[in-house]
Amino acid sequence: MNSNTLHITADAIVEMEKRFRVNFINGLPGFKSLNLVGTICPLGQANLSIVSTVTHFGSDPPLLGYVSRPETEGAVRHTLSNLTETGVYTINHVGRSFYREAHQTSARYPREVSEFDATGLRPIWREGFRPPFVEASAIQMHLTLRDRIDIPANGTVLVLGQVTDVFCREDLLGADGDLDLMRAGTVTGSGLDGYFEAHKLARLSYAKPDEPVREID
Amino acid sequence: MNSNTLHITADAIVEMEKRFRVNFINGLPGFKSLNLVGTICPLGQANLSIVSTVTHFGSDPPLLGYVSRPETEGAVRHTLSNLTETGVYTINHVGRSFYREAHQTSARYPREVSEFDATGLRPIWREGFRPPFVEASAIQMHLTLRDRIDIPANGTVLVLGQVTDVFCREDLLGADGDLDLMRAGTVTGSGLDGYFEAHKLARLSYAKPDEPVREID
């Protein structure tokens, strides 16, 4: 850090204009995963919602969580009510070729409008699965809802699901189980609205106290 | 998707060799944030731990969460016990110039070894703050612990904290509050051990139902 280091205090954060604060705080985690959550309501209406909070909670069983705002109108709330009612949903990586359409799913469409129709993203209806997958997505998952965990600090809901099935291109899965997200065209996000592609620096060996890390692959 | 699409079933995931499954499931969220969590134990020993699960939970108040394994030996567990005892910690973005040292903090050092000493990463001790910041990091935060939320599905712990102070270079903060993570040199991760730099595709305008998204900035 140099002499141009800003110290942004708790008071300064409180006093920020609302939109400024939302942009700023959303940048603090660093780069984020970007996924489309696909659901269906009991009457058959498909819903699609972009989320930037899908997080690994465990590998055995395979658990992913994401953060939902219960009070919000629009796609996010429809997604939460759909997956709560049906108990199932899909998570689909956002790719370079369709990140604009993915972003557009965050618009507040009325409940009777499917984000698939509104954005032109095409669903796949797979036999044996209830919610829609996103055809353009290189890595698609089906999950069953494991838990809805209320976050007392601000009323959000942590949606925790177990991955039951994964669909991906054969060339993306490495011999050691590693998924090649760069080859998949998966994008990453910053803040509320920044979209980035990733370029590999290295894979690093399992760290041990008395060995320097080395590049693998 | 084409004819080379793999369908990986729940049974196939159960039958995977453990390391293969860990690699595979860790790739499913997409690209991840990479941060160093800095803590101090009540006796004064500094601790540093890389995490790939820092997630935005809300902007007002500013809340970030990350997932900790309570049962794990090594740095992760020391971090959890330190921040529980002291109620404070720092989160520091992992940057391109020191991602190897950041990765090395995941080695299972004995409790009496500070990962700062072991990796050569230098702490900053700021007046008025108890835990150490990471000098090399372009974006550094101080947090107070708000909640420890047990995840019944697998025994992990969601550590939820409120950001009280942010230290960052002046040139990283945009006029609308957006943080320039690319300029900061912040890196992103995939799987357990993949490190990537990000290249901007676009920032997109706030999505509305009847307007096409456009690039901003």
Side-chain angles (χ1 to χ4, degrees):
Chain A
M1 292 270 196
N2 53 35
S3 57
N4 294 320
T5 298
L6 292 177
H7 176 190
I8 299 156
T9 64
D11 285 348
I13 293 172
V14 167
E15 286 163 16
M16 285 175 178
E17 181 270 321
K18 183 186 171 190
R19 198 79 197 157
F20 187 100
R21 180 172 54 235
V22 168
N23 281 332
F24 177 65
I25 303 298
N26 268 281
L28 292 180
F31 288 106
K32 309 175 186 188
S33 61
L34 291 172
N35 287 281
L36 287 163
V37 177
T39 56
I40 189 163
C41 84
L43 297 175
Q45 169 79 53
N47 193 275
L48 196 60
S49 175
I50 189 166
V51 299
S52 63
T53 53
V54 171
T55 303
H56 178 264
F57 273 75
S59 295
D60 188 16
L63 298 175
L64 301 181
Y66 83 91
V67 183
S68 176
R69 284 180 295 171
E71 75 287 2
T72 306
E73 296 301 317
V76 172
R77 199 198 56 156
H78 299 165
T79 293
L80 183 61
S81 64
N82 286 349
L83 66 83
T84 301
E85 289 177 62
T86 63
V88 290
Y89 54 110
T90 68
I91 293 181
N92 309 266
H93 283 205
V94 175
R96 190 179 168 172
S97 64
F98 62 96
Y99 71 89
R100 285 179 178 79
E101 291 84 351
H103 183 78
Q104 184 63 33
T105 65
S106 65
R108 298 184 179 198
Y109 293 104
R111 177 128 203 175
E112 66 274 15
V113 173
S114 166
E115 289 80 13
F116 283 103
D117 297 332
T119 64
L121 289 167
R122 286 166 58 178
I124 307 181
W125 300 101
R126 288 199 162 88
E127 203 178 321
F129 296 93
R130 199 162 169 201
F133 297 83
V134 177
E135 184 180 50
S137 179
I139 298 176
Q140 311 167 6
M141 293 154 255
H142 178 267
L143 297 94
T144 55
L145 181 63
R146 281 293 299 265
D147 216 345
R148 277 180 51 146
I149 296 171
D150 292 323
I151 306 296
N154 70 350
T156 54
V157 176
L158 175 64
V159 176
L160 200 68
Q162 181 161 341
V163 178
T164 66
D165 297 80
V166 179
F167 297 87
C168 73
R169 287 206 327 261
E170 198 172 9
D171 63 320
L172 302 181
L173 183 58
D176 64 353
D178 194 62
L179 279 166
D180 191 335
L181 304 187
M182 219 171 92
R183 183 181 286 187
T186 298
V187 296
T188 177
S190 93
L192 274 185
D193 50 26
Y195 291 81
F196 296 77
E197 56 183 8
H199 292 263
K200 193 177 198 169
L201 295 165
R203 284 187 70 192
L204 298 180
S205 58
Y206 188 83
K208 295 179 180 175
D210 297 317
E211 283 179 26
V213 292
R214 59 178 204 286
E215 296 195 11
I216 55 178
D217 249 2
Chain B
M1 292 265 185
N2 54 35
S3 58
N4 294 320
T5 297
L6 291 177
H7 176 191
I8 298 156
T9 63
D11 285 347
I13 292 172
V14 168
E15 286 162 16
M16 285 173 178
E17 181 271 322
K18 183 186 171 191
R19 198 79 196 155
F20 187 99
R21 179 173 53 237
V22 169
N23 281 332
F24 177 66
I25 303 299
N26 269 281
L28 291 181
F31 287 106
K32 308 175 186 188
S33 62
L34 290 172
N35 288 281
L36 286 162
V37 177
T39 57
I40 189 163
C41 84
L43 297 175
Q45 169 79 52
N47 192 275
L48 196 60
S49 175
I50 190 168
V51 299
S52 63
T53 53
V54 171
T55 302
H56 178 265
F57 273 75
S59 295
D60 188 16
L63 298 175
L64 301 181
Y66 83 90
V67 183
S68 176
R69 285 180 295 172
E71 75 288 1
T72 307
E73 297 300 317
V76 172
R77 200 199 53 157
H78 299 164
T79 294
L80 183 62
S81 63
N82 287 350
L83 67 84
T84 302
E85 289 176 61
T86 63
V88 290
Y89 54 109
T90 68
I91 292 180
N92 309 267
H93 283 204
V94 175
R96 191 181 167 170
S97 64
F98 61 98
Y99 72 88
R100 286 179 178 79
E101 291 83 353
H103 183 77
Q104 183 63 34
T105 66
S106 64
R108 297 184 180 198
Y109 294 104
R111 177 128 202 174
E112 66 274 14
V113 174
S114 167
E115 289 79 14
F116 283 103
D117 298 333
T119 64
L121 289 167
R122 287 167 57 178
I124 306 181
W125 299 101
R126 288 200 161 88
E127 204 178 320
F129 296 94
R130 200 162 169 201
F133 297 83
V134 177
E135 185 180 50
S137 179
I139 298 176
Q140 310 168 7
M141 294 154 256
H142 178 267
L143 296 94
T144 55
L145 181 63
R146 281 294 299 265
D147 216 345
R148 279 180 51 147
I149 296 172
D150 293 322
I151 306 296
N154 70 349
T156 54
V157 176
L158 175 64
V159 176
L160 199 69
Q162 180 161 342
V163 178
T164 66
D165 296 80
V166 178
F167 297 88
C168 74
R169 288 206 326 262
E170 199 172 9
D171 63 321
L172 303 181
L173 183 58
D176 64 354
D178 194 63
L179 280 164
D180 191 334
L181 304 187
M182 219 171 92
R183 184 180 285 186
T186 298
V187 296
T188 176
S190 92
L192 273 184
D193 50 26
Y195 291 81
F196 296 77
E197 56 183 7
H199 291 263
K200 193 175 197 169
L201 295 166
R203 283 187 71 192
L204 298 180
S205 59
Y206 188 83
K208 296 180 179 174
D210 297 315
E211 282 180 26
V213 293
R214 58 179 205 285
E215 296 195 11
I216 57 177
D217 249 1

